């Protein structure tokens, strides 16, 4: 998943998909990577968009490739994602999956954990705790803002997500 920064100064499109299942108060999926720069680190679903692929398409593909999970609903994050990878513009998504869904990892990972927010905060660096707390408040502990919904029942919805007072915050694509 790790690639050298592009030499032509254009940012590559990357995706982070925070996977939530509505079980035991809400749990987030983290997987231990076995390859590349982030080997032995715990991460949500992450990857880069293939040529010609939108971030939404990349998020759905990466979710299925890395976990064999299908999103019941996919939401666009309207907040910046902490990013230490120069050369990538990250697009954040939150996938809600069935409470009984079974994870099947691909070759990029060797273990996975479903964690509540307290366990997540113990596992992850403190620099991203504000992001994780916001994620939990907006997507784990309550019904997400439907204006951020991008994917439901196998089809794209809300091509442009709206922010406060109906202001456009950008395309779901």
């Amino acid at each position: 998943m790790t690639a050298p920064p592009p030499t032509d100064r254009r940012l590559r499109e990357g995706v982070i998909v925070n996977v939530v299942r509505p079980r035991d108060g809400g749990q987030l999926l983290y997987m231990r990577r076995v390859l590349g720069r982030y080997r032995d680190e715990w991460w949500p679903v992450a990857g880069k968009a293939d040529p010609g692929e939108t971030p939404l398409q990349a998020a759905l593909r990466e979710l299925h490739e890395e976990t064999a999970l299908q999103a019941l609903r996919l939401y666009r994050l309207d907040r910046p994602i902490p990013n230490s990878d120069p050369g990538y513009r990250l697009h954040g998504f939150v996938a809600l999956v069935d409470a009984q869904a079974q994870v099947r990892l691909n070759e990029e990972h060797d273990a996975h954990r479903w964690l509540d927010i307290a366990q997540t905060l113990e596992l992850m660096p403190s620099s991203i705790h504000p992001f994780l707390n916001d994620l939990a408040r907006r997507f784990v502990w309550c019904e997400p803002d439907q204006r951020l919904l991008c994917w439901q029942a196998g089809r794209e919805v809300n091509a442009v997500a709206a922010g406060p007072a109906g202001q456009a915050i950008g395309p779901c694509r």
Side-chain angles (χ1 to χ4, degrees), residues 47-63:
K48 64 180 188 229
D50 289 338
E53 189 176 48
T54 68
L56 174 61
Q57 291 166 335
L60 291 166
R61 177 184 50 76
E62 289 287 350
L63 174 65

Side-chain angles (χ1 to χ4, degrees), residues 22-33:
R23 190 179 196 170
D24 302 326
Q27 297 176 319
L28 297 163
L29 176 65
Y30 283 87
M31 302 167 296
R32 188 171 54 210
R33 295 192 172 277

Side-chain angles (χ1 to χ4, degrees), residues 30-165:
Y30 283 87
M31 302 167 296
R32 188 171 54 210
R33 295 192 172 277
V34 296
L35 303 171
R37 175 179 173 188
Y38 300 108
R39 183 185 177 127
D40 294 326
E41 292 184 18
W42 292 89
W43 276 71
V45 170
K48 64 180 188 229
D50 289 338
E53 189 176 48
T54 68
L56 174 61
Q57 291 166 335
L60 291 166
R61 177 184 50 76
E62 289 287 350
L63 174 65
H64 188 264
E65 282 180 3
E66 292 187 13
T67 67
L69 295 173
Q70 298 290 328
L72 298 175
R73 290 181 283 165
L74 189 73
Y75 294 88
R76 180 184 181 278
L77 280 176
D78 60 345
R79 302 278 192 276
I81 298 173
N83 181 9
S84 63
D85 213 346
Y88 283 88
R89 175 181 26 245
L90 292 181
H91 299 268
F93 295 90
V94 176
L96 300 184
V97 299
D98 185 88
Q100 305 307 317
Q102 297 296 310
V103 174
R104 260 192 348 259
L105 298 175
N106 70 358
E107 70 283 351
E108 298 174 42
H109 310 94
D110 66 356
H112 75 281
R113 296 179 185 171
W114 287 103
L115 305 171
D116 64 28
I117 191 63
Q119 294 166 319
T120 301
L121 293 172
E122 288 177 18
L123 180 67
M124 303 308 290
S126 61
S127 60
I128 65 167
H129 286 188
F131 171 81
L132 292 169
N133 281 314
D134 183 62
L135 181 75
R137 277 192 303 277
R138 298 173 62 229
F139 295 96
V140 178
W141 297 328
C142 66
E143 182 63 28
D145 184 340
Q146 295 306 297
R147 296 174 297 178
L148 301 175
L149 184 64
C150 289
W151 181 263
Q152 182 174 0
R155 65 181 183 82
E156 188 173 345
V157 295
N158 291 347
V160 175

